[in-house]
Each structure stands twice: as structure tokens, then as C-alpha cells.
Amino acid sequence: MIRGILIGVLALGIAGTAFWGYQEHQEKNAVLLNAENNYQRAFHNLSYRMDILHDKIGTTLAMNSRHSLSPSLVEVWRLTSEAHGDVGQLPLTLLPFNKTEEFLANIGNFSYRTAARDLDKEPLSKKEYSTLQTLYKQSGDIQNELRNVQHMVLKNNLRWMDVELALASGKEATDNTIIDGFKTVEKTVTGYEESDHGPTFTNMKKKDENFKKIKGKTISRQEAIKIAKSYMKFDGNATVKVTENGKGSDYGFYSVSIKNKNTGQEASMDITKKAGHPIWFINNRDVKKQVLSLNEADNKAGAFLKETGFKNLEVFESTQYDNIGVFNFVTNINGIRIYPEAVKVKVALDKGDIIGLSAEEYLKSFHTRKIEKPVISLEQARSKVNPNFKVMEDRQAYIVNDLNEEVLCYEFLGTVGNDTYRIFINATNGKEEEVEKLKNAEAIYDDVL
């Protein structure tokens, strides 16, 4: 009797386990199928957009009217943006595909810049027309390579999940039709690097992301640890972990993590190998009751930046989150703000110590500039802003515009109604380069649980 009950219970347990395993298997398959469908959709969309992009560039070559040409170039820009999005949805993060993405970005930037100007007054030059012809041919080459990959995918019913697994496991060197096809596409685009697209196209390169402007001697791992400790101010027993940036990176840095054995407090920092500058720093600790005012914390942040070698900085924005003060600094040269050179500092309002730093933008942009003289006057620039805009402050400033160009502007801070804005007017041609709406104070809802 008891034996029969035990056998029954065991049978039920086995059946339940089998059913649970079946459900898990079905759910896993559903997730994998959804991922595969998304990959397939992104890839076939990419192939389709490259077909349309090639045709659209071709039609611009036959146009002469601004009313036709500008919308066509805007369409080229839109298609390249969408193609970028499609590439971003494919499992290619571990596969070098940056040259193809850069090529798409350059086409988009060229078309945007050309479409944005008055083509009646400044029609396409012979050099720009030649650039369009070159882009038409090169986009056709990429189109053909992608079609070859698409043909093999459809013919052999290939799966993108196999690509993801191959890349994740480091087995991309093995025979994989999709990976081999995309490597061919990348190799084809790499061959375009020596092409002369003219100055308009050259100016469209993505802004420097590799800290190439940094000067100084290369530091050792031990020097990196010493620098990190000077920021973290850990006393006593601490464990230190140092790693170097991955293979193939365009610039060198150390990642340093330190844990205080006595308190359990941890801090992390990335430091450039050249000159030992902090890229970012974060000290993970609980911030207790506020003791310092935001103004006192501002002074501590400014003093900290001077001590650590940052010069000519002024705070232009400060915010408080719980018991932490966040301060944005920019370079100020003779009253002219250099917004690309920005540093963010976090200060704990209980003890006043620095618990966070982000200097990436500053390090990428810092260099000695020849400060230009504005072509238009302050009053001429002021006349370009909305007449309903009430100006409270004005100054000169450098910003990076939509075309990734650094331009001298007049900056106007003011209000329209109850909202505050920052407006930048190009100091050379009077163009409205940027309008930024500043955040209003957040409402507090006491009754919300």
C-alpha cells in the first residue's frame, strides 16, 4: 500500500518536473524566436534601405532645382539615420563594423549640411557634385555586397542567433556565411578611406572620441593606483584591482577599483595612460544628513578641480539630488565660455567630500584655441532672438553645433513666460545655432506614497 503511494507520488513528481521542463523549453524557444525575428527584420530592413539610399543618391544627380534637391537630400539623410538604427539592432557589437557605420554617418552629414543651406544662393559646387557621384558608386558597392549576404541567408535559411553565439564564444573565425559577408562589406568600405571627397565631406568626420589631444608621459599601473587613491582618500587596509582597456581600443586607460576592507566602501576610476588624467570617478557610499549648503559644496568642488590640475573653470549649473550636490563646470577664457570643455563634479553634502567626477568631454575637447573676434555685434545678435524672449544675461561662448563644428556664438539667457531658455546665435553669420530649455523646479507631491 505504502509502496503504491510512494510510486504514485514519485510518478507525479516526475510528471510535474517534465511538465515544468517542457514549459521552460517552450518559453526559452519563444524568447529565441523573438530575438531571431528581430534580427531578421533589422537585416532585411538594412538591405532594403541601402537599395533605396542608392537610388535616392542617384536621383539627386539628375536634379538642379533647390525645391527638388533639398527634400531629396533630406531623404538621403533620413535613410542613413534609419540604416544606422538597423545596424545597431544586429548582433555585431563584437564584429568590427565601424568603417561601414562611419561611411553611413558621413553620407548623412554631407546630405544634411548641403540640404540645410540656401541652394538658390549657393548651389552644389563641382566638387560636391563629384562627391555625390562617388557616393552613388560606393553605396552601390555596399548594396551589392549586402544583397549577396541576403541571398545566402534566404537560400540557406541561415539564423542570426548562430551569429550571436559565434561572436559571443569567440568563434567568428570559423565558417559563418553571415559573418564572412559582413566582413566583406567592411573590407569594401575600408577601401574608400583614401577617396578624396573634398573639404565639405572631410569636415563631417565624427568629433574626436579618443582623447588624442592629451599630452604627457605614459603612466604605469602603480602610478595609476597612486592617482586613484589620492582621489578616493581611503585610509588603512584596501584591496586594489587594476585592469587595462581592451585590445583594439584607440586610446589607453586604466580602470582602478579600490575596496576599503575595514568599512566595505568601494570606489572606481578610469585614468588615461597618457598623463594620468581622470576620465571618471565614483565613490559608492551612503550620504547622511545634509550639513553643507549648495554654495559651500560649490566652493569645495571648485577648489578640488584647481587642486587636481583643471584650470580656468567656472560653474554654470548646479543641482541638488537628495543630499548630493551636482555641479557642471566649463572653461572660461577672458569671459568666453568653452562649453565643449565640461566637467561634472558630485559633492556629498554631509562631509563635503568629492564622490563623483566626469571629465570625459573636457579631455576629448581640451586644446589651446585661437579665440576669434565676432563678425556681428551683440545688438545685431540680440535682434535675431524671438521678440518675446526677455534677455537676463548675455556673453560669448563656444559650442559644438549640429554639424560637429565648434563655433563662436553669443549666448543669451532669458525667459519666455514662465520658462527659462539659453539661446546661441552664431557670432559670424547670425544663425540661431541652438535653443536649450532649462529645467524648471520639480513639483513636490506630499500625498504620493
XYZ file of all heavy atoms in Angstrom, residues 281-327:
378
model
N 35.158 59.138 -12.099
C 35.437 58.629 -10.769
C 34.122 58.579 -9.998
O 33.293 59.472 -10.111
C 36.435 59.559 -10.068
C 36.405 59.488 -8.563
C 36.779 58.336 -7.906
C 35.999 60.580 -7.812
C 36.754 58.267 -6.525
C 35.969 60.528 -6.431
C 36.350 59.374 -5.784
N 33.920 57.495 -9.235
C 32.719 57.403 -8.408
C 33.068 56.714 -7.094
O 33.766 55.695 -7.071
C 31.575 56.652 -9.127
C 30.296 56.711 -8.302
C 31.949 55.216 -9.449
C 29.050 56.299 -9.061
N 32.622 57.311 -6.005
C 32.835 56.771 -4.668
C 31.475 56.336 -4.124
O 30.609 57.173 -3.862
C 33.458 57.855 -3.775
C 33.852 57.326 -2.409
O 33.462 56.225 -2.020
N 34.625 58.111 -1.677
N 31.292 55.027 -3.997
C 29.996 54.490 -3.575
C 29.887 54.486 -2.058
O 30.457 53.623 -1.393
C 29.816 53.062 -4.103
C 29.801 53.014 -5.610
O 28.993 53.667 -6.248
N 30.715 52.248 -6.200
N 29.181 55.450 -1.525
C 28.951 55.459 -0.089
C 27.597 56.109 0.211
O 27.084 56.909 -0.579
C 30.063 56.189 0.657
C 30.023 57.717 0.583
C 31.002 58.295 1.609
N 31.025 59.748 1.635
C 30.162 60.497 2.328
N 29.178 59.930 3.001
N 30.280 61.812 2.326
N 27.032 55.762 1.340
C 25.776 56.368 1.764
C 26.045 57.779 2.266
O 26.941 57.988 3.091
C 25.132 55.539 2.882
C 24.650 54.187 2.393
O 24.283 54.098 1.202
O 24.660 53.228 3.185
N 25.277 58.729 1.737
C 25.422 60.118 2.168
C 24.372 60.389 3.240
O 23.175 60.212 3.022
C 25.250 61.089 0.984
C 25.412 62.529 1.450
C 26.253 60.760 -0.113
N 24.851 60.835 4.405
C 23.958 61.039 5.542
C 23.260 62.393 5.453
O 23.183 62.999 4.396
C 24.758 60.940 6.850
C 25.569 59.659 6.987
C 24.694 58.409 6.976
C 25.530 57.153 7.176
N 24.726 55.921 7.117
N 22.798 62.882 6.586
C 22.031 64.128 6.672
C 22.836 65.321 6.155
O 24.035 65.446 6.409
C 21.621 64.376 8.127
C 20.737 65.590 8.316
C 20.350 65.729 9.790
C 19.486 66.978 10.000
N 19.107 67.145 11.425
N 22.180 66.201 5.420
C 22.842 67.366 4.841
C 23.325 68.315 5.922
O 22.601 68.677 6.847
C 21.887 68.115 3.899
C 22.510 69.365 3.287
C 21.589 70.056 2.299
O 20.555 69.507 1.921
N 21.967 71.249 1.868
N 24.614 68.732 5.775
C 25.221 69.701 6.684
C 25.633 70.961 5.913
O 25.441 72.075 6.377
C 26.446 69.090 7.405
C 27.144 70.134 8.269
C 26.019 67.899 8.253
N 26.185 70.750 4.704
C 26.666 71.865 3.890
C 25.562 72.415 3.004
O 24.665 71.681 2.561
C 27.825 71.417 2.996
C 29.224 71.344 3.617
C 29.322 70.149 4.558
C 30.283 71.245 2.527
N 25.652 73.723 2.708
C 24.752 74.334 1.734
C 25.275 74.042 0.337
O 26.433 73.630 0.155
C 24.684 75.851 1.943
O 25.933 76.447 1.595
N 24.439 74.254 -0.657
C 24.854 74.027 -2.043
C 25.985 74.979 -2.420
O 26.898 74.603 -3.166
C 23.650 74.233 -2.976
C 23.713 73.532 -4.342
C 23.842 72.025 -4.172
C 22.483 73.858 -5.172
N 25.955 76.203 -1.905
C 27.006 77.172 -2.201
C 28.342 76.728 -1.603
O 29.399 76.855 -2.245
C 26.617 78.550 -1.655
C 27.621 79.618 -2.024
O 27.877 79.871 -3.196
N 28.224 80.247 -1.020
N 28.320 76.197 -0.367
C 29.552 75.705 0.249
C 30.121 74.518 -0.535
O 31.340 74.398 -0.721
C 29.267 75.290 1.696
C 28.998 76.462 2.632
C 28.539 76.009 4.010
O 27.700 75.072 4.073
O 29.005 76.574 5.007
N 29.225 73.646 -1.006
C 29.660 72.497 -1.798
C 30.240 72.948 -3.135
O 31.211 72.370 -3.639
C 28.485 71.552 -2.027
N 29.660 74.009 -3.712
C 30.172 74.591 -4.958
C 31.624 75.030 -4.763
O 32.499 74.745 -5.599
C 29.282 75.772 -5.349
C 29.768 76.506 -6.591
O 30.758 76.070 -7.206
O 29.158 77.534 -6.944
N 31.912 75.704 -3.660
C 33.280 76.159 -3.372
C 34.235 74.979 -3.227
O 35.383 75.033 -3.684
C 33.293 77.002 -2.096
C 32.552 78.313 -2.270
O 32.444 78.837 -3.385
N 32.031 78.863 -1.181
N 33.772 73.904 -2.597
C 34.615 72.715 -2.429
C 34.898 72.046 -3.778
O 36.001 71.571 -4.029
C 33.955 71.729 -1.466
C 33.996 72.182 -0.012
C 33.484 71.108 0.915
C 33.642 71.537 2.378
N 35.069 71.589 2.788
N 33.888 72.017 -4.649
C 34.075 71.428 -5.982
C 35.084 72.234 -6.790
O 35.975 71.668 -7.447
C 32.730 71.369 -6.707
N 34.969 73.571 -6.742
C 35.909 74.424 -7.465
C 37.325 74.280 -6.956
O 38.284 74.205 -7.748
N 37.498 74.218 -5.616
C 38.823 74.059 -5.021
C 39.424 72.710 -5.407
O 40.622 72.599 -5.704
C 38.729 74.187 -3.505
N 38.594 71.669 -5.427
C 39.045 70.327 -5.799
C 39.577 70.314 -7.234
O 40.621 69.726 -7.520
C 37.888 69.347 -5.648
C 38.103 68.017 -6.320
C 38.891 67.046 -5.735
C 37.518 67.749 -7.554
C 39.096 65.820 -6.357
C 37.708 66.533 -8.178
C 38.503 65.567 -7.578
N 38.862 70.958 -8.151
C 39.292 70.984 -9.555
C 40.629 71.702 -9.709
O 41.496 71.271 -10.482
C 38.220 71.640 -10.419
C 36.929 70.826 -10.606
C 35.877 71.637 -11.334
C 37.205 69.523 -11.365
N 40.832 72.789 -8.975
C 42.107 73.507 -9.042
C 43.242 72.641 -8.515
O 44.330 72.584 -9.092
C 42.021 74.807 -8.235
C 41.199 75.895 -8.904
C 41.177 77.164 -8.055
C 40.324 78.241 -8.721
N 40.254 79.477 -7.888
N 42.979 71.938 -7.423
C 44.000 71.070 -6.817
C 44.412 69.940 -7.749
O 45.551 69.475 -7.708
C 43.463 70.464 -5.511
C 43.294 71.458 -4.382
C 42.552 70.842 -3.201
O 42.307 69.617 -3.238
O 42.208 71.591 -2.263
N 43.477 69.473 -8.574
C 43.748 68.317 -9.437
C 44.137 68.722 -10.867
O 44.136 67.898 -11.768
C 42.522 67.389 -9.472
O 41.337 68.151 -9.733
C 42.368 66.675 -8.145
N 44.453 70.010 -11.082
C 45.033 70.428 -12.351
C 44.086 70.992 -13.391
O 44.509 71.325 -14.494
N 42.794 71.109 -13.070
C 41.846 71.712 -14.008
C 41.877 73.230 -13.830
O 41.685 73.730 -12.713
C 40.424 71.196 -13.763
C 40.251 69.742 -14.093
C 40.355 68.774 -13.106
C 39.979 69.335 -15.396
C 40.195 67.432 -13.400
C 39.813 67.990 -15.705
C 39.925 67.038 -14.708
N 42.123 73.953 -14.911
C 42.308 75.401 -14.818
C 41.200 76.158 -15.554
O 40.588 75.647 -16.487
C 43.669 75.798 -15.403
C 44.854 75.162 -14.688
C 46.158 75.562 -15.349
C 47.352 74.917 -14.648
N 48.640 75.275 -15.308
N 40.998 77.399 -15.111
C 40.089 78.343 -15.791
C 38.663 77.811 -15.921
O 38.005 78.009 -16.945
C 40.626 78.699 -17.183
C 42.013 79.295 -17.135
O 42.301 80.136 -16.290
N 42.881 78.853 -18.031
N 38.197 77.116 -14.886
C 36.837 76.590 -14.930
C 35.897 77.445 -14.085
O 36.303 78.005 -13.062
C 36.799 75.152 -14.408
C 37.507 74.089 -15.262
C 37.417 72.734 -14.578
C 36.908 74.001 -16.642
N 34.655 77.545 -14.521
C 33.626 78.208 -13.729
C 32.364 77.343 -13.738
O 32.074 76.648 -14.709
C 33.307 79.603 -14.269
C 32.545 79.622 -15.582
C 31.932 80.988 -15.894
O 31.767 81.794 -14.958
O 31.619 81.220 -17.072
N 31.623 77.371 -12.646
C 30.394 76.599 -12.567
C 29.303 77.355 -13.329
O 29.193 78.576 -13.227
C 29.981 76.347 -11.100
C 29.594 77.636 -10.384
C 28.855 75.335 -11.021
N 28.539 76.636 -14.136
C 27.445 77.295 -14.856
C 26.097 76.665 -14.536
O 25.047 77.197 -14.906
C 27.691 77.259 -16.378
C 27.379 75.957 -17.050
C 26.145 75.727 -17.631
C 28.335 74.954 -17.113
C 25.861 74.522 -18.252
C 28.063 73.749 -17.737
C 26.816 73.532 -18.295
N 26.118 75.558 -13.812
C 24.860 74.902 -13.471
C 25.065 74.073 -12.210
O 26.067 73.373 -12.076
C 24.419 74.006 -14.634
C 23.025 73.448 -14.509
C 22.635 72.646 -15.745
O 23.402 71.737 -16.133
O 21.579 72.924 -16.308
N 24.133 74.170 -11.269
C 24.218 73.362 -10.054
C 22.838 72.813 -9.709
O 21.823 73.484 -9.903
C 24.763 74.189 -8.886
O 23.917 75.294 -8.607
N 22.825 71.585 -9.214
C 21.579 70.907 -8.875
C 21.787 70.078 -7.609
O 22.905 69.608 -7.356
C 21.132 69.968 -10.015
O 21.239 70.632 -11.265
C 19.693 69.518 -9.829
N 20.722 69.908 -6.828
C 20.806 69.060 -5.650
C 19.864 67.876 -5.795
O 18.696 68.033 -6.133
C 20.441 69.848 -4.382
C 20.545 69.012 -3.107
C 20.336 69.830 -1.843
O 20.469 71.055 -1.869
N 20.024 69.164 -0.744
N 20.408 66.670 -5.587
C 19.620 65.443 -5.576
C 19.774 64.809 -4.203
O 20.865 64.351 -3.842
C 20.088 64.473 -6.663
C 19.952 65.009 -8.056
C 21.043 65.588 -8.709
C 18.745 64.940 -8.740
C 20.926 66.077 -9.996
C 18.622 65.429 -10.037
C 19.715 65.992 -10.659
O 19.597 66.485 -11.933
N 18.690 64.790 -3.422
C 18.747 64.309 -2.043
C 19.837 65.073 -1.296
O 19.768 66.285 -1.198
C 18.973 62.794 -2.002
C 17.789 62.034 -2.600
O 16.643 62.503 -2.441
O 18.014 60.984 -3.216
N 20.867 64.380 -0.833
C 21.933 65.049 -0.083
C 23.238 65.120 -0.878
O 24.334 65.093 -0.307
C 22.163 64.324 1.253
C 20.946 64.396 2.149
O 20.233 65.405 2.167
N 20.695 63.335 2.896
N 23.089 65.208 -2.202
C 24.245 65.292 -3.099
C 24.114 66.531 -3.975
O 23.045 66.806 -4.540
C 24.355 64.035 -3.976
C 24.603 62.793 -3.111
C 25.475 64.187 -5.010
C 24.549 61.493 -3.887
N 25.199 67.301 -4.086
C 25.236 68.449 -4.981
C 25.950 68.083 -6.271
O 27.016 67.447 -6.243
N 25.363 68.431 -7.418
C 25.954 68.139 -8.726
C 26.262 69.464 -9.415
O 25.373 70.309 -9.585
C 25.007 67.291 -9.602
C 25.663 66.995 -10.948
C 24.633 65.999 -8.886
N 27.520 69.646 -9.822
C 27.974 70.925 -10.373
C 28.606 70.711 -11.751
O 29.483 69.862 -11.910
C 28.987 71.574 -9.432
C 28.457 71.759 -8.034
C 28.651 70.771 -7.073
C 27.738 72.888 -7.692
C 28.150 70.921 -5.793
C 27.220 73.043 -6.416
C 27.427 72.060 -5.461
